Amino acid sequence: MSNSEKIRLDKWLWAARFYKTRSIAKEAIDGGKVHLNGQRCKPGKEPRVGDVIKLRAGWDERIVIVKQLNDKRQKAELAQQLYEETPESLQAREEASANRKALRGAMPRPDHRPDKKQRREILKHKADY
């Protein structure tokens, strides 16, 4: 697709593999999870090469710069050529991931699920409080 052709933002986000379907991309845009050049936008907004897109997908928040426009969903290697993630965004995502991993070890987890007798005991102790 040439740069002069127009493309919808939700379609570009889907083609760049940020969201699994176009409808999920549209919901994210409508929900305010996607900002184009620092402003909320509509799914029909047309991104241009050089635009900055800030988006949330799952736990991660990314800031990417549009490098190419494409409306066809292709392999992940080709989809990654459509954008460039900023170094600040990469660093923030790595730090957030490390924090999540650190918290995962802080929560004690039982080795197995309680059986019926153990569940009764737990409920009995909860009722006492």
Side-chain angles (χ1 to χ4, degrees):
M1 176 176 215
S2 68
N3 291 345
S4 63
E5 293 184 43
K6 295 181 179 181
I7 181 173
R8 292 173 53 99
L9 180 60
D10 60 342
K11 202 166 190 178
W12 185 86
L13 290 170
W14 167 75
R17 294 185 166 260
F18 288 113
Y19 299 103
K20 200 169 189 176
T21 65
R22 274 187 67 192
S23 62
I24 295 172
K26 181 184 178 306
E27 288 173 13
I29 295 168
D30 288 337
K33 292 178 175 59
V34 178
H35 290 80
L36 182 68
N37 294 327
Q39 302 211 338
R40 282 184 70 164
C41 55
K42 294 184 178 180
K45 183 75 175 165
E46 297 165 358
R48 295 189 180 105
V49 174
D51 282 353
V52 177
I53 298 176
K54 182 178 179 181
L55 60 106
R56 290 186 67 84
W59 296 99
D60 296 326
E61 185 170 286
R62 297 175 183 230
I63 300 172
V64 297
I65 300 168
V66 178
K67 287 173 53 179
Q68 295 177 14
L69 298 177
N70 195 351
D71 62 351
K72 303 224 178 342
R73 190 171 171 103
Q74 298 172 339
K75 290 191 237 177
E77 297 85 34
L78 297 173
Q80 289 174 347
Q81 296 173 1
L82 298 179
Y83 63 90
E84 177 185 347
E85 190 167 0
T86 62
E88 298 84 18
S89 174
L90 280 170
Q91 183 179 359
R93 280 195 313 124
E94 288 171 3
E95 288 174 6
S97 176
N99 289 341
R100 284 194 303 271
K101 286 179 183 174
L103 285 177
R104 193 176 303 152
M107 293 295 291
R109 297 293 235 158
D111 295 333
H112 62 294
R113 291 178 55 176
D115 60 20
K116 191 170 184 177
K117 182 177 180 183
Q118 291 168 333
R119 282 197 304 271
R120 281 194 204 120
E121 292 290 320
I122 291 168
L123 290 173
K124 187 171 134 185
H125 287 294
K126 284 186 177 181
D128 291 341
Y129 290 107

